[in-house]
């Protein structure tokens, strides 16, 4: 029954990856905490690590099926990508030694602050217009003239994302949105940025260990990763990503932004009531 529930949640992670740029972190963390509640305080560490692996695969697949002209927005973004990776490695090492309780409350607190920021501060639900350099169709998702984010943001985004297991999209999408990018482009570009964050985080997680008796009896753990949970989530997610990338729905920009905010609210409630 747990496997079927995880498979169903995997379908949702496919939708969030394709439409909102969430590689699975905000969905996967509460679900894995619930599935691995028997691990006690270690469930949060396992959830963060498992979430990273799910996001590597989901974000990597979503990036692979994204049109090259869209990914061209990242051209020249080497410094940003390098700092994202460095920050992610630091965040993944830090979560291995942090008390599990504070990590969970940090996850909830970060979500709550993000929701308040998106709802109250101008620039997300109704973005500031970008300076027009040349005419472009409203639905066009081709590369903008400048990169999606300043490189200096890479280190803190990578560290926070890996520490909390969120992949980075909840930081990068609002930042790109406030820079004037439409939701469709911001969410698409969140996937390659998430991939850069989660690769080093996953490598660190696979090499970690838990000392509790419950963890040692958990046969599906490889390092800190629950392979059974990750496999079920991916089995549900990948077909959905393939379909939605091939035939993306046309969502009005403002409705897309409101849906993003609503999803964060749902995930906050799920995490608050997880085991």
């Amino acid at each position: 029954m747990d496997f079927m529930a995880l498979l169903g949640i995997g379908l949702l992670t496919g939708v969030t990856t394709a439409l909102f740029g969430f590689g699975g972190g905000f969905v996967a963390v509460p679900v894995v905490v619930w599935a691995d509640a028997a691990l006690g305080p270690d469930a949060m560490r396992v959830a963060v690590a498992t979430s990273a692996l799910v996001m590597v695969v989901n974000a990597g697949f979503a990036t692979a099926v994204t049109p090259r002209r869209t990914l061209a927005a990242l051209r020249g973004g080497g410094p940003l990508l390098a700092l994202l990776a460095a920050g992610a490695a630091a965040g993944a090492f830090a979560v291995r030694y942090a008390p599990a309780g504070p990590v969970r409350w940090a996850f909830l607190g970060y979500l709550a602050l993000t929701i308040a920021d998106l709802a109250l501060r101008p620039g997300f639900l109704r973005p500031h217009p970008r300076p027009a350099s040349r005419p472009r169709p409203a639905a066009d998702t081709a590369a903008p003239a400048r990169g999606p984010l300043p490189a200096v943001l890479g280190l803190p985004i990578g560290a926070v994302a890996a520490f909390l297991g969120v992949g980075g999209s909840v930081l990068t999408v609002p930042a790109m949105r406030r820079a004037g990018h439409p939701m469709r482009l911001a969410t698409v570009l969140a996937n390659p940025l998430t991939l850069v964050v989660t690769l080093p985080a996953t490598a660190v997680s696979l090499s970690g260990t838990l000392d509790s008796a419950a963890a040692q009896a958990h046969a599906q753990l490889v390092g800190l990763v629950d392979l059974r949970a990750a496999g079920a989530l991916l089995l549900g997610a990948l077909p959905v990503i393939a379909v939605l990338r091939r035939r993306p729905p046309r969502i009005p920009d403002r409705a897309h932004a409101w849906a993003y905010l609503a999803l964060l609210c749902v995930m906050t409630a799920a995490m608050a009531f997880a085991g």
Side-chain angles (χ1 to χ4, degrees), residues 104-194:
R104 178 173 174 165
W105 284 109
F107 185 97
L108 280 168
Y110 183 76
L111 277 174
L113 287 173
T114 299
I115 289 167
D117 178 67
L118 299 187
L120 300 176
R121 193 157 65 98
F124 182 79
L125 295 175
R126 203 174 275 183
H128 304 299
R130 295 175 61 228
S133 55
R134 55 185 171 87
R136 201 164 61 236
D140 183 20
T141 58
R146 53 191 167 80
L149 290 172
V152 70
L153 295 179
L155 198 62
I157 286 176
V160 170
F163 186 80
L164 298 180
V166 299
S169 57
V170 79
L171 295 96
T172 59
V173 170
M176 286 188 278
R177 178 77 168 159
R178 288 201 165 96
H181 299 304
M183 281 295 292
R184 190 176 177 191
L185 177 62
T187 53
V188 167
L189 290 183
N191 284 308
L193 297 178
T194 292

Side-chain angles (χ1 to χ4, degrees), residues 21 59-60 62-63 66 70-71 74 81 84 186-198 245:
T63 300
T66 297
T70 302
L71 294 178
L74 297 174
L81 300 181
L84 280 170
T187 53
V188 167
L189 290 183
N191 284 308
L193 297 178
T194 292
L195 180 61
V196 172
V197 168
T198 52
R245 273 286 182 263

